[in-house]
Amino acid sequence: MEPGLCCRAYLLAGRLWTAVSKALFAEFLATGLYVFFGVGSVLPWPVALPSVLQIAITFNLATATAVQISWKTSGAHANPAVTLAYLVGSHISLPRAMAYIAAQLAGATVGAALLYGVTPGGVRETLGVNVVHNSTSTGQAVAVELILTLQLVLCVFASTDSRQTLGSPAAMIGTSVALGHLIGIYFTGCSMNPARSFGPAVIVGKFAVHWIFWVGPLTGAVLASLIYNFILFPDTKTVAQRLAILVGTTKVEKVVHVEPQTKEPHMNSEDTEVSV
């Protein structure tokens, strides 16, 4: 191999590693912060038990902060359900999606561990582990989580689609998370995010009905992706192009054909997508 070609290959590999590693760290950091502050708001301090409104506002602010920190680096998923939705909509490759989810789960676990470490033993209890409340059946719990996550993912797509808006999506996504908590707390403690449920469950070792907080949110995310990307705002990717994106053999922006009146690619969050 010629020296010049070797040098170019080395530089390309370096750029690829830099982009991917930054995105993974952003997902790790954003999810960890989200779990630390969000779950921290549900802890039962004797002097001031948390209200539903307080919890909803805290998750709102935690979400907005996490999104603002990471959306230009990784797309600010911070949620395996959002990552799955982007995968289904052909906005991210399968290898990158798997790496994102691993980073999110690791971040959630570290965030929960830090919260556990700084919280007095009498206040920790179950560390905000999601459970089914108020005689809600498992089927009802799954349905509630599905609906809550569906509205969240629809809001994420609408807020990050450059055909609709060019500003930061932090405020609107945070509002959507708060909306979910205002009703979801009474049913399941409100997850909408498998990583949020996973981190505390790992730290305290409580996995009763944990499957609900994967099945419900992931199903809702898939439905939301299908609704947004194939009904409300379909794009013109071909099957071959979607398969190329899926396996990571092409950049997303290379295969998106925008409408004549637009100048931006389909999704801001994939501006950093590279072949993996």
Side-chain angles (χ1 to χ4, degrees), residues 138-237:
T138 55
Q140 291 170 332
V142 170
V144 168
E145 286 293 328
L146 185 157
I147 295 168
L148 297 179
T149 310
L150 184 143
Q151 66 84 23
L152 169 61
V153 173
L154 285 174
C155 183
V156 169
F157 276 124
S159 301
T160 58
D161 190 341
S162 60
R163 297 172 300 176
Q164 313 302 322
T165 180
L166 297 177
S168 170
M172 288 310 303
I173 296 176
T175 300
S176 180
V177 170
L179 174 64
H181 279 80
L182 287 172
I183 183 174
I185 286 176
Y186 297 107
F187 294 90
T188 61
C190 189
S191 175
M192 299 190 293
N193 184 336
R196 175 262 180 266
S197 300
F198 180 81
V202 169
I203 298 304
V204 299
K206 293 184 179 295
F207 288 92
V209 300
H210 182 69
W211 63 270
I212 290 174
F213 306 107
W214 284 88
V215 174
L218 294 183
T219 305
V222 170
L223 290 176
S225 185
L226 294 175
I227 290 170
Y228 191 90
N229 292 291
F230 296 92
I231 299 177
L232 296 180
F233 297 99
D235 56 43
T236 57
K237 298 187 190 78

Side-chain angles (χ1 to χ4, degrees), residues 7 9-10 16 21 30 72 111 116 130 143 152 167 181 193 198 212 225 235 238 246 248 257 259 265 268 275:
C7 183
Y10 178 79
L16 173 62
S21 60
K72 289 188 177 181
Y116 185 89
N130 288 112
L152 169 61
H181 279 80
N193 184 336
F198 180 81
I212 290 174
S225 185
D235 56 43
T238 66
L246 177 66
H257 301 289
E259 296 298 327
N268 281 335
S275 300

Side-chain angles (χ1 to χ4, degrees), residues 62-139:
T63 300
T65 300
V67 170
Q68 191 65 33
I69 289 171
S70 62
W71 77 290
K72 289 188 177 181
T73 303
S74 67
H77 295 191
N79 184 339
V82 172
T83 299
L84 177 61
Y86 273 67
L87 179 66
V88 171
S90 299
H91 302 301
I92 189 173
S93 68
L94 178 59
R96 177 172 285 227
M98 294 173 64
Y100 269 27
I101 292 174
Q104 291 157 6
L105 295 180
T109 303
V110 171
L114 288 174
L115 181 63
Y116 185 89
V118 300
T119 304
V123 180
R124 292 170 184 160
E125 293 191 349
T126 59
L127 203 67
V129 169
N130 288 112
V131 295
V132 177
H133 296 301
N134 301 322
S135 302
T136 303
S137 69
T138 55

